[in-house]
Structure formats: structure tokens, C-alpha cells
């Protein structure tokens, strides 16, 4: 029971950081779940976010649910999801009411001017942290670079990118094995 409470409270603290989407949570999840609590390994966080992003739903809720499940199965998934959902729900309701009353206020507009770049910084930092976990050798670096290039020049659906990445990964590993190269899946 204490573990479930710890999971709930941990994600209750993380939930308010979902401004800017679930990617803004990544540094906090890594600090709380990997560094402080040592419930999962750093390499697992990248895998969990990859799965959470590839299934329907909000990445914040999906990742909390997957991590909770990884720690304490179904009860862990439920309390992690509730923990991340409750503060987010309350904040959205409060901000909606607040915004309706003060949307033309110059202070409100100024606050959003400051929040937007802060969210970009959080997402950029999250991308950097995931990159550290996901880019383990030259092959993964080339694959990531190639994918970024495709994203800049073509308007492809994210599911297509994810499926293509999975297929490319399988092919590249098979080629490396046939060539006799060592397979490095983690740093």
C-alpha cells in the first residue's frame, strides 16, 4: 500500500508540469522515478515514452500509466494515472475559468508570452534527454538525423514516422548481425 501511495504522490507532483505536453514531464520523471526512487532505469524511460507516444491518448497520461504498471502492475498504473490526471484536470478547469474572465488583460497576455518560451525550453531539454538515451551509436545517430530531415521537408503523419523507425531499426539490426558487428542497444 505504501508503494501505491508513493507512486500516486510522485505523479501528483509531476502532473502540474504537463504544461506544454507530456514531453515537459520527461526531466521530472527521470529525476523522480529513476534518480530519487530508482524504480526504473534511465534506458526504460526512453522506451516507455516511445510506446506512450505511439499509442492513442495524451503522452503524459500514457507514460504515467506505463510507468505505474512497470512498478506495481495494474494498481500502479491506476494510481499513477490518477496522480498525473488530478492536478492537470484541476489546473485546466481553473485556468479555463480564469482565462474567460481575464483574457483581455495585458498581464495575462504578458504571462502567456513568458510561458510559451519556457515550455519550448522544457520540450527542448526533454528532447535532449531522450536523445542521450536513444542515440547509442553511429547508426542511431544517422537514423535520428535522417528522420529529423524527413520531418522538416515532408508533412508525414507521426504514426508513419514511428512505424518507419521500427522497421528501419529491425532492418539495421539484422544487417549489423549479418556483418558481424556488435549490437549496442544501450549506452
Amino acid at each position: 500500500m505504501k508503494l501505491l501511495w508513493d507512486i500516486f504522490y510522485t505523479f501528483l507532483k509531476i502532473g502540474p508540469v504537463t504544461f506544454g505536453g507530456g514531453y515537459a514531464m520527461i526531466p521530472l520523471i527521470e529525476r523522480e522515478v529513476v534518480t530519487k526512487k530508482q524504480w526504473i532505469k534511465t534506458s526504460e524511460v526512453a522506451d516507455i515514452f516511445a510506446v506512450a507516444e505511439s499509442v492513442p491518448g495524451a503522452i503524459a497520461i500514457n507514460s504515467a500509466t506505463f510507468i505505474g504498471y512497470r512498478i506495481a502492475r495494474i494498481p500502479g498504473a491506476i494510481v499513477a494515472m490518477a496522480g498525473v490526471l488530478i492536478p492537470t484536470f484541476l489546473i485546466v478547469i481553473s485556468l479555463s475559468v480564469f482565462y474567460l474572465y481575464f483574457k483581455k488583460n495585458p498581464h495575462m497576455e504578458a504571462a502567456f508570452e513568458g510561458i510559451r518560451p519556457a515550455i519550448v525550453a522544457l520540450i527542448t531539454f526533454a528532447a535532449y534527454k531522450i536523445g542521450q538515451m536513444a542515440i547509442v551509436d553511429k547508426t542511431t545517430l544517422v537514423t535520428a538525423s535522417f528522420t529529423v530531415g524527413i520531418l522538416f521537408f515532408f508533412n508525414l503523419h507521426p504514426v508513419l514516422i514511428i512505424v518507419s523507425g521500427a522497421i528501419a531499426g529491425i532492418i539495421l539490426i539484422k544487417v549489423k548481425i549479418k556483418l558481424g558487428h556488435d549490437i549496442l542497444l544501450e549506452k
Side-chain angles (χ1 to χ4, degrees), residues 5 13 20 26 34 44 49 54 57-58 63 65-66 79 86 90 92 96-97 120 135 147 153 163 169 172 183 187:
W5 173 252
K13 292 188 303 186
I26 294 172
V34 176
E44 291 177 292
F49 272 94
S54 62
S63 58
T65 304
F66 287 134
V79 298
I86 290 170
L90 295 175
V92 167
S96 297
V97 170
V120 169
I135 299 174
T147 305
F153 296 108
V163 170
L172 290 170
I183 306 301
K187 280 188 178 178

Side-chain angles (χ1 to χ4, degrees), residues 17-25 59-60 119 123:
V17 183
T18 57
F19 278 102
Y23 297 108
M25 297 175 33
I59 191 168
I119 297 304
I123 293 170

Side-chain angles (χ1 to χ4, degrees), residues 50-71:
V51 172
E53 183 180 350
S54 62
V55 298
I59 191 168
I61 294 169
N62 292 349
S63 58
T65 304
F66 287 134
I67 291 170
Y69 183 81
R70 187 69 148 256
I71 298 166

Side-chain angles (χ1 to χ4, degrees), residues 28-136:
L28 232 101
I29 286 176
E30 187 175 10
R31 187 174 69 221
E32 291 291 325
V33 176
V34 176
T35 306
K36 283 186 179 178
K37 303 286 186 181
Q38 297 180 347
W39 286 329
I40 60 175
K41 294 186 278 183
T42 303
S43 60
E44 291 177 292
V45 173
D47 295 341
I48 287 168
F49 272 94
V51 172
E53 183 180 350
S54 62
V55 298
I59 191 168
I61 294 169
N62 292 349
S63 58
T65 304
F66 287 134
I67 291 170
Y69 183 81
R70 187 69 148 256
I71 298 166
R73 300 292 175 211
I74 292 175
I78 292 168
V79 298
M81 181 183 62
V84 82
L85 187 62
I86 290 170
T88 304
F89 174 75
L90 295 175
I91 289 169
V92 167
I93 295 295
S94 301
L95 284 177
S96 297
V97 170
F98 187 75
Y99 184 75
L100 286 174
Y101 287 107
F102 297 104
K103 65 181 172 186
K104 297 294 182 195
N105 184 309
H107 295 295
M108 176 68 85
E109 291 175 13
F112 278 107
E113 289 296 317
I115 289 172
R116 284 185 208 109
I119 297 304
V120 169
L122 283 170
I123 293 170
T124 302
F125 184 70
Y128 170 74
K129 294 299 278 185
I130 287 177
Q132 284 183 315
M133 293 181 270
I135 299 174
V136 296

Side-chain angles (χ1 to χ4, degrees), residues 3-12 39 68 71-72 76 79-80:
L3 177 62
L4 293 178
W5 173 252
D6 282 348
I7 295 168
F8 175 78
Y9 183 67
T10 298
F11 282 96
L12 190 71
W39 286 329
I71 298 166
V79 298

